Amino acid sequence: MADTLPPHLICDILAHLELEERQNTAALVCKAWRAAVDSPQLLRRVKIDISQGSPALQRMQGLHPWLAARAPHMEHLELAIFLPDGLPPAVKEEAGQLLCSIAAAAVSGLRELCLYFWGPLPAIGTWLASTTLRKLSLDHGSERFDDLTNNYPIVVQSLGGLPGLRDLTLVGRGTAHVLPGAQLPTALSRLTFGALSNEILPRQLSALTGLVDLTLQPSIMSDEGFAPLRELSGTLRRLHLDSCSIILPPFLSELTALVAFRVQDGSYIRDPEDDLAILEAALPRLTTLTLLELRDVFSGTPPVGVTALTRLRHLLLEPYDGPVTGPIPAGAYLATLERLSAPAALLVRSLQQLSAASQLTEVAATSSFSTQEDALTVLRWAPHHSSLRRLMMIFTPDVELANAGLKAQRRRPSLHVEFANKQTSFFAA
């Protein structure tokens, strides 16, 4: 029966299996399934995780010829290689060299290549060459890996062999070091950097006139380190600063093309008052913003500079320290606001201001309510806000709260009330 199914149905069935299960088990069922396992339909997206089972090095050695033979059919390749503790440095270096060889053999026709590897890697250079690759992601020891004993650096010697690359991610527990003479593809439009080795953004960034989306995750960043961003002031549209010691570039107000600005985990700010001053001065000039996320950048009352953002649709506010002392500011920006994510205390204090948010469709409380009465106040308010379609509350509901949620939905069936027991957000990363 299995070999009488049409080939496309066999592929649909096998697509639900992991690659290793398809190759080692499903391929033994019959000739039709053997052919389907290596069909272009199932080889377009290949995900290989060598993190358990037989020793990683031996499995990598067997992987090389397998990938080389099937590379012409692949468009997306994800390789996750975990080296167990206790391996000699020479073995880890051999594994890094082998991974480079595997990637080089498979990359020629790929559009996306994602590598997860916890071990020493050779400098990224001419061994990685492809005219078709559009996305390259190298995760060199993130939360996927538990070994904290070594922070292996990512060294970029050149990416000149990837002229069509548009999306580049270099992250990990070690530092990323772009050599002064390294060539970055001019087609890059999206770039994500982890910790930088010298606290300075690569000078090459200033030449990337097509760069519109930049994410920085450094543990330390100096004012001078942000300098290359200045050259992108007319083109950069999305900026995400994650876990920076100095969060805000001093010339933030010059990045007037931004439509999305995210600051995440600002608890490491060296001088919060200075950074808040930069933010307050910049917001009135960032009038094209439609998305603003501020985590751990202010305390007490949200910055009044948001009132100038008359195109704002998505707003996330989370103070870094102390109690909430004031509501969100009133202003014309509320007329365009569609999504709001804020701590419960800030939300409760802001219900009156939100009456002006005529386009507001989604609200999330990102912390628990301090009292049951506060939660009930929000549940009573929600049905009367005619544009609201979704309300998410961080609370373990008792019978009264559950009944209040049901009552709100019965009063206006288009309103969906959700209770959750952990912090969440409406905004995509």
Side-chain angles (χ1 to χ4, degrees), residues 312 328-338 350-361 381 384-387:
L312 194 64
I328 62 172
Y333 77 102
L334 291 170
T336 60
L337 193 64
E338 297 174 4
S350 305
L351 296 182
Q352 182 177 349
Q353 286 76 6
L354 290 177
S355 63
S358 57
Q359 304 299 315
L360 190 65
T361 59
W381 162 83
H384 297 286
H385 198 91
S386 59
S387 63

Side-chain angles (χ1 to χ4, degrees), residues 115-333:
L115 301 176
Y116 301 89
F117 183 68
W118 190 229
L121 268 182
I124 302 174
T126 54
W127 59 269
L128 193 59
S130 169
T131 58
T132 63
L133 197 67
R134 297 293 179 265
K135 178 178 180 179
L136 173 62
S137 177
L138 177 56
D139 187 329
H140 209 207
S142 69
E143 65 275 2
R144 290 183 59 126
F145 304 97
D146 297 326
D147 182 2
L148 288 171
T149 57
N150 291 291
N151 292 323
Y152 301 106
I154 301 173
V155 179
V156 179
Q157 192 175 54
S158 175
L159 291 174
L162 304 173
L165 194 67
R166 297 172 186 168
D167 189 336
L168 175 62
T169 297
L170 301 173
V171 297
R173 290 197 176 113
T175 57
H177 183 45
V178 180
L179 298 179
Q183 181 181 353
L184 297 181
T186 56
L188 275 178
S189 60
R190 184 176 184 181
L191 179 60
T192 299
F193 269 129
L196 296 166
S197 60
N198 52 6
E199 306 177 22
I200 296 175
L201 287 173
R203 300 293 179 186
Q204 294 92 322
L205 257 66
S206 60
L208 301 179
T209 56
L211 190 66
V212 296
D213 191 323
L214 178 62
T215 297
L216 300 175
Q217 302 172 335
S219 57
I220 299 175
M221 179 63 71
S222 63
D223 288 354
E224 296 78 11
F226 281 117
L229 278 185
R230 209 165 205 153
E231 302 299 321
L232 305 176
S233 59
T235 57
L236 193 64
R237 293 175 60 79
R238 290 175 288 276
L239 178 62
H240 181 188
L241 303 177
D242 185 357
S243 301
C244 301
S245 288
I246 297 181
I247 287 292
L248 304 178
F251 51 84
L252 179 62
S253 60
E254 299 178 27
L255 304 179
T256 54
L258 287 179
V259 297
F261 180 49
R262 294 181 171 96
V263 178
Q264 183 171 349
D265 194 6
S267 57
Y268 299 105
I269 296 177
R270 188 167 60 192
D271 194 337
E273 291 186 3
D274 286 350
D275 281 286
L276 185 58
I278 292 172
L279 181 65
E280 288 283 26
L283 287 177
R285 298 193 60 185
L286 305 181
T287 55
T288 57
L289 281 180
T290 61
L291 184 149
L292 178 64
E293 292 189 9
L294 301 175
R295 290 185 172 95
D296 304 320
V297 182
F298 67 94
S299 64
T301 302
V304 297
V306 298
T307 60
L309 306 178
T310 55
R311 300 184 187 181
L312 194 64
R313 297 202 305 269
H314 314 284
L315 178 62
L316 184 148
L317 297 169
E318 290 185 13
Y320 70 84
D321 189 23
V324 173
T325 57
I328 62 172
Y333 77 102

